[in-house]
Amino acid sequence: MHKPDYKIRTMTRAEVDIAIDWAAAEGWNPGMHDAQCFYAADPNGFLIGLLGDEPIALISVVKYGSGFGFLGCYIVKPEYRGQGYGLQIWKAGLTYLQGRTVGLDGVVAQQGNYMKSGFKLACANIRYQGVAGGDFPANPAIVPLSTLPFAELDAYDQTLFAENRTAFLSCWIEQPASTALGILQAGKLAGYAVLRKCRSGYKIGPLFANSGALAEQLFLALNASAPAGAELFLDTPALNPAAVALAQRYGMQVSFETARMYLGTPPNLPIERVFGVTSFELG
């Protein structure tokens, strides 16, 4: 029987929902409303591989600004693995990001394969899991992000991410079933964080702050805003000991680890201000 040709093309917005479902099936626990914001980041940055009409492979290759890209959602249906379909869509994705520094958060077991394409290990990102709930004393320095000028938030974010991600950020902080908070110091934004509902529990990401004390205040405020007893997740860079200590201080346990890797020159970011990464799929 003749096998239909394998075709790779850009996903439609509806097909990004398929990517999120597949990510959930892999145990990656995506957010309930990730698809809309992922698509907003770069509508051309999602590729799908089809045999006839059947989707069998996916990859996200989102462009940020003029010089950075992030690769994620790299999944081949289990029954089609080991047949070269994944490698073809991987190559198509890297072609789309050609000329840019490319980041990814890969499962540790696949590091060797990514190195074959020129990726180099930068650090580990560690997913911590705990239980939400608890009281949080009122803190006038913590405000809903919606009360601040978006331009101020956008400028702050660009000091902590490799490139401008305005379209993504404006969607991320306004998604349903989420809480987005900023913390002020001398009237200026000195940190922000977002809590969102996921397939299982809630995730905090990003958690950016100018100091460990400010990060802890944001963490406690979001922890208290989540339903008591719900699972709570925080993805911390292993290279920020204060972030790791924060997670451990509140009884969180390691549940997953990724290898943050880069192709090209890694961005020079102030890792000591990154207490939680935004997402393993988009950076």
Side-chain angles (χ1 to χ4, degrees):
M1 184 175 159
H2 177 67
K3 213 178 215 183
D5 289 338
Y6 180 53
K7 294 186 178 67
I8 296 169
R9 61 163 172 77
T10 305
M11 286 186 208
T12 64
R13 165 64 188 85
E15 286 167 339
V16 178
D17 291 331
I18 297 174
I20 300 298
D21 285 342
W22 286 19
E26 291 292 320
W28 299 347
N29 193 25
M32 298 298 291
H33 302 281
D34 283 1
Q36 187 64 31
C37 298
F38 284 10
Y39 190 72
D42 179 2
N44 296 311
F46 297 84
L47 305 181
I48 189 165
L50 303 117
L51 272 183
D53 295 329
E54 183 188 3
I56 66 159
L58 307 165
I59 199 166
S60 62
V61 278
V62 168
K63 289 179 178 177
Y64 291 110
S66 59
F68 187 63
F70 203 86
L71 186 154
C73 295
Y74 177 41
I75 308 172
V76 179
K77 262 191 181 176
E79 61 268 35
Y80 292 102
R81 291 174 187 173
Q83 298 171 48
Y85 297 120
L87 185 59
Q88 286 184 62
I89 203 166
W90 168 270
K91 287 179 175 174
L94 287 182
T95 298
Y96 178 70
L97 294 178
Q98 203 156 9
R100 294 168 177 257
T101 291
V102 182
L104 64 78
D105 271 308
V107 294
V108 175
Q110 291 294 325
Q111 273 183 74
N113 281 335
Y114 301 141
M115 285 176 178
K116 289 175 190 169
S117 293
F119 283 82
K120 294 191 170 96
L121 180 66
C123 73
N125 282 328
I126 305 165
R127 174 161 295 165
Y128 281 92
Q129 178 177 346
V131 180
D135 295 325
F136 176 65
N139 183 343
I142 292 181
V143 297
L145 279 182
S146 58
T147 65
L148 300 175
F150 179 74
E152 185 181 358
L153 170 66
D154 198 25
Y156 183 83
D157 186 73
Q158 286 180 42
T159 67
L160 289 151
F161 195 75
E163 275 269 15
N164 157 28
R165 54 175 179 172
T166 306
F168 167 81
L169 188 61
S170 62
C171 178
W172 196 249
I173 64 169
E174 292 178 357
Q175 62 182 295
S178 72
T179 304
L181 300 175
I183 190 163
L184 303 176
Q185 209 171 33
K188 291 193 171 170
L189 190 63
Y192 87 91
V194 178
L195 174 90
R196 75 193 196 280
K197 185 170 173 51
C198 294
R199 296 293 177 98
S200 175
Y202 291 76
K203 273 186 202 164
I204 295 175
L207 174 53
F208 294 158
N210 293 358
S211 72
L214 294 170
E216 185 166 16
Q217 291 295 299
L218 283 167
F219 174 86
L220 287 172
L222 289 176
N223 188 24
S225 75
E231 289 177 317
L232 184 72
F233 300 91
L234 177 68
D235 299 335
T236 65
L239 287 179
N240 183 350
V244 171
L246 173 65
Q248 292 174 343
R249 195 154 56 244
Y250 291 96
M252 301 182 88
Q253 305 288 328
V254 175
S255 68
F256 187 64
E257 186 176 315
T258 71
R260 171 60 65 92
M261 306 179 79
Y262 292 104
L263 176 67
T265 307
N268 184 19
L269 299 173
I271 198 77
E272 72 280 0
R273 291 166 57 203
V274 178
F275 291 82
V277 300
T278 308
S279 88
F280 286 159
E281 292 78 30
L282 260 70

